[in-house]
Structure formats: structure tokens, C-alpha cells
Amino acid sequence: MTHENKAAESEVADCKPESPTGTSDMMERICESRNVERAVKQVTRNKGSSGIDGMKTVELAGYLTVNWLEIKKQLLTGEYKPKPVRRVEIPKRDGGVRKLGIPTVLDRCIQQATMQVLQEEYDKTFSKNSFGFRPGKSAHDAVRKAQEYVAEGNAYVVDIDLEKFFDRVNHDRLMSRIAGKIKDKRLLKLIRAYLNAGVLEDGEIKPTKEGTPQGGNLSPLLSNIVLDELDKELEKRGHKFVRYADDCNIYVKSERAGRRVKESLTGFIKKKLKLKVNDKKSAVDKPSKRKILGFSIMGTWKPRIVISLKSLEVFKERIKDITGRGRGVSPEMVVKELNKYIRGWMGYYGICQTPSKLRDLDGWIRRRIRSFIWKKWKTYQNRVRELKQGGANEKEIVKATLFRGLWKASNSKAVRIALPNKYFKTMGILSLKSLVKV
């Protein structure tokens, strides 16, 4: 906030329609300077696409400097009207698309400021087994808790998949739950306005009668408010569970118990929460055969956290893209891109407890680069010269040059001699195994 904005806050305060007490003063807390400044920093840091008005995140602070007093007045009097979100479709790896709703940068800021204050009220009431979008909790915490449950002898998991959860949230039920705790009618009106803001799709503004837009800063918290009812039901029944956003896993002793739990919870979710369970994706199975946030839990006695097969497939596809033998870039550029991706990937998957798998992946990556370099050498003469300089003998060189296909040649003895493991250390390629989080 600028000095002028702060100086004029007393003028805006005259617009308050009530004398707030308790949770009836939420809008004042949302509009408080430090809270808004924190929201501006977060939205700017997150960057992201523009909404329907075209404003960029870098323009937000300057816009608020000029317009904040009027915006604040509208918020405090309950007159603020959010703009519709911009529809963006993101392809899913397993087919289909995920529909995101991108609010304007200003609405993202107001939603962020709202979320920060609401979170202070709600987070302390949420279940300890809810890990998504909460301060001090992470996906890693959820995976480790699942590992604990399996170690306690819960040999089966009930994996509940909520079909298009963010698109199906019932507005009336959500608002009813919020109104049970929050008494500030201006805030209730604002949240309802965000839910009903509509979406710009194919040049037409379409109404939103249900759901919370994925892409909005407030949506993750609203999803936790909706699914807290599920958490409380699971706690009431004494179940051992882990929930991260709309991913919910319940750990039980037997397959029979799992089937019973799945059937009962499906009925509760459909009838009470007015949501739909995806029967095709939901299942009762061994934890090793299901994935939780990109991982699986392998074994029952001293269970280990392993990277799921699907996550490994995605990883390999990305490495193949970076080390594509047809790319017209230098080996140094490939290494730079590889290291950036590996560092980020291991930042998440580094909690895995499968060093042998990481060692195998390190070897596979080295072979991908050998294949890339073999292609770069191009001609027979260049390859023979490089192999000789690398220390390979005539017999092994002949064998390598006779291989049909880059992939087979990359694993020949001559190429491995000319491009040994220490060569990749010299290139500065990061090792997956060395980045494991202890």
C-alpha cells in the first residue's frame, strides 16, 4: 500500500455497513494492508497467465497503487463483482483434458487475500490426516503417513477417486458449511460471487452452477472445506486414512474389509456430499499396486516408498525428449536441460527408498547420452577416430561400427570404453542416486 492509500483508509472505513465482531469482521481483515501486500507478493511470485482482461502479474502492484481505495470500498460494502474466468484446457497424460479456469490477476489477488484469512480460521479445525494445500503439510508427509499405516499391518488400501471433483462441488452445500462458521455476510456474498462468476469459453460467457474453478487461489481451501466432511466421517468410523485434495486412501487389514468400506463410503459421498465416485478408477488392492501422489508402498514388513510405474514412464518420456538424437543442440545444452529436470524431479521423488532403481535409471540416462553423442559423431571416420582416442581397441571398434541402430551401438564395449562413467561426471551430469533425500 502507498502512503496515500494508508492515509485514506479512514475514509473507506466509513463505508462499513456493520460493527463487526468475531468472524463478522472478516472483510476488514482481508483488506488489511499487510494481508493484501502478502497476497500481491504471492500472486506476483506465482506468475501465471492473464485473465480475460489481459492484465499481467507484473502490472498488479502498480494497478493497486492507483485503484486500491475504490476496490477496498467495494469489498467493504459488498459491492465488488469478480470477472468471469478464462477457460484453458490442459491435455492429460492419460488422455482427455483438464479444464482450468484462470481468474484475472486482480481476482487472484483478492482470492489469495481471502484465502489467507480464511485459512487462519479453518486450518486448525481440519483433520490431521488431510495434507493438501495446508501450511506445514506436504505430499511427502501424506506418503510417509501411508507407509506408517502399511507398516502397522494394513495390507490393503481403498483408493477412492472422485470424478471431476472440482467441477462438481455443490455451491449450496459449500456455502451452507461456510455460513455455519463465517458470519460476515459481505464475505459470504463475495465467495458466492466467485463461484457464480461464470467462464469465458469460445467467446461466450457461460454460467457456473456448480464446481470451483481449478486455477483460482481460493479453490484449494474451498475443496478442503467440502471434503472435511468426509474426513470427519472417516474419523468417526475409526479409519486410518490419508487425504490430499481429492485423492483419498483408506488403509484396512483385509480385502473383505476394504470392499465393505468402499461400498459404504461410495454411498456416503454420493448421498451426503452430492459428489460422484469414479468406479473405474477406484479400487481395493495391495498398496504396491496402487499409486499415491506419484508413489507406491512396496511390501508389508518394513514397507518401502517406491516411485510408481506411471511416474517412471513420464520421467523416461521427458528424458527421451531432452536427449532426442535428432535434436540440433550441443551435448552441453543437453546436460544443462537434463540437470534442470533431474534436480526438480528428484526434489519431489527423492524420498523414494529404491536406490537400485535410481542406479538403473542413472545407467539408462548415460546410455541415452552415449547414443546422442554417437549420432553427433555421424560419419564412420569420426566414430573410429573418437573411439580410438577414447582407448577402445581395433576389435571392439569394428564391432561397434557394425551395429545397426544407435541404441545398440551406444551399449557396445567400445563406446562404453570411450565414454566411461567418469566422463559423465566430468560433463557435470547429476546422478539421481546422489540426490536422494535421507
Side-chain angles (χ1 to χ4, degrees), residues 325-380:
R325 295 181 288 272
R327 295 188 69 199
V329 297
S330 66
E332 290 75 21
M333 180 59 70
V334 169
V335 171
K336 183 178 180 180
E337 291 182 33
L338 265 179
N339 283 347
K340 181 179 179 181
Y341 179 67
I342 287 172
R343 188 178 286 109
W345 193 79
M346 284 300 291
Y348 183 76
Y349 289 101
I351 66 166
C352 71
Q353 298 165 332
T354 52
S356 61
K357 172 57 70 175
L358 296 180
R359 184 174 61 246
D360 292 344
L361 286 174
D362 277 334
W364 178 78
I365 291 172
R366 288 193 295 269
R367 187 174 174 184
R368 288 289 309 177
I369 300 173
R370 288 188 180 108
S371 179
F372 179 87
I373 294 174
W374 181 254
K375 173 72 183 295
K376 285 291 181 185
W377 286 344
K378 268 187 178 180
T379 66
Y380 172 83

Side-chain angles (χ1 to χ4, degrees), residues 262-285:
K262 180 176 178 290
E263 182 179 357
S264 176
L265 283 179
T266 298
F268 174 83
I269 290 168
K270 289 180 179 179
K271 294 176 183 177
K272 191 70 184 288
L273 302 186
K274 307 300 181 185
L275 297 170
K276 188 175 181 180
V277 173
N278 189 325
D279 292 323
K280 291 183 178 179
K281 292 186 177 181
S282 299
V284 178
D285 211 333

Side-chain angles (χ1 to χ4, degrees), residues 159-424:
D159 188 350
I160 299 291
D161 184 273
L162 299 177
E163 187 172 310
K164 297 181 179 179
F165 167 72
F166 285 93
D167 297 330
R168 296 184 184 276
V169 170
N170 184 285
H171 289 177
D172 290 337
R173 292 200 83 261
L174 170 58
M175 291 308 304
S176 176
R177 287 189 64 79
I178 297 175
K181 185 176 183 65
I182 304 301
K183 303 308 176 186
D184 191 326
K185 293 182 179 179
R186 298 163 299 173
L187 177 54
L188 296 176
K189 182 180 178 181
L190 179 66
I191 295 173
R192 173 72 82 167
Y194 273 120
L195 293 174
N196 296 336
V199 56
L200 180 63
E201 192 171 16
D202 300 326
E204 180 184 352
I205 295 178
K206 300 178 181 179
T208 46
K209 298 180 180 179
E210 63 178 1
T212 60
Q214 292 189 67
N217 297 54
L218 192 54
S219 291
L221 177 61
L222 296 181
S223 73
N224 275 336
I225 292 173
V226 171
L227 292 175
D228 184 59
E229 195 169 353
L230 173 61
D231 297 341
K232 296 298 190 286
E233 180 67 18
L234 291 170
E235 289 176 341
K236 179 182 174 183
R237 298 184 185 189
H239 289 312
K240 295 184 176 181
F241 70 97
V242 166
R243 185 179 66 77
Y244 191 99
D246 56 337
D247 290 325
C248 187
N249 294 275
I250 304 100
Y251 294 85
V252 295
K253 299 290 184 181
S254 67
E255 185 176 7
R256 182 179 178 183
R259 289 201 197 99
R260 187 172 63 248
V261 169
K262 180 176 178 290
E263 182 179 357
S264 176
L265 283 179
T266 298
F268 174 83
I269 290 168
K270 289 180 179 179
K271 294 176 183 177
K272 191 70 184 288
L273 302 186
K274 307 300 181 185
L275 297 170
K276 188 175 181 180
V277 173
N278 189 325
D279 292 323
K280 291 183 178 179
K281 292 186 177 181
S282 299
V284 178
D285 211 333
K286 295 278 189 180
S288 59
K289 295 182 179 179
R290 304 299 297 179
K291 61 184 176 70
I292 172 172
L293 301 172
F295 297 91
S296 294
I297 309 298
M298 187 70 67
T300 51
W301 187 73
K302 291 187 177 180
R304 295 172 299 143
I305 298 172
V306 304
I307 303 168
S308 73
L309 293 177
K310 184 65 179 176
S311 298
L312 289 173
E313 288 175 10
V314 172
F315 172 78
K316 284 193 168 186
E317 285 302 315
R318 181 65 183 123
I319 296 297
K320 286 178 182 178
D321 289 341
I322 295 173
T323 60
R325 295 181 288 272
R327 295 188 69 199
V329 297
S330 66
E332 290 75 21
M333 180 59 70
V334 169
V335 171
K336 183 178 180 180
E337 291 182 33
L338 265 179
N339 283 347
K340 181 179 179 181
Y341 179 67
I342 287 172
R343 188 178 286 109
W345 193 79
M346 284 300 291
Y348 183 76
Y349 289 101
I351 66 166
C352 71
Q353 298 165 332
T354 52
S356 61
K357 172 57 70 175
L358 296 180
R359 184 174 61 246
D360 292 344
L361 286 174
D362 277 334
W364 178 78
I365 291 172
R366 288 193 295 269
R367 187 174 174 184
R368 288 289 309 177
I369 300 173
R370 288 188 180 108
S371 179
F372 179 87
I373 294 174
W374 181 254
K375 173 72 183 295
K376 285 291 181 185
W377 286 344
K378 268 187 178 180
T379 66
Y380 172 83
Q381 292 80 4
N382 283 345
R383 288 169 177 172
V384 170
R385 184 182 67 251
E386 294 290 347
L387 293 177
K388 280 183 178 180
Q389 290 179 353
N393 61 41
E394 293 286 347
K395 184 178 179 181
E396 296 301 337
I397 290 173
V398 170
K399 285 183 180 179
T401 55
L402 289 176
F403 274 117
R404 288 188 177 183
L406 301 171
W407 186 243
K408 285 186 177 181
S410 67
N411 201 39
S412 66
K413 187 174 181 180
V415 173
R416 284 186 280 112
I417 289 172
L419 301 173
N421 290 354
K422 64 181 180 180
Y423 169 81
F424 297 98

Side-chain angles (χ1 to χ4, degrees), residues 41-70:
K41 288 180 181 178
Q42 186 63 47
V43 171
T44 304
R45 190 183 304 121
N46 289 345
K47 298 182 179 180
S49 304
S50 301
I52 65 171
D53 62 354
M55 185 192 293
K56 299 177 181 178
T57 53
V58 294
E59 300 173 295
L60 176 61
Y63 180 84
L64 288 178
T65 298
V66 176
N67 298 284
W68 172 242
L69 285 179
E70 177 58 31

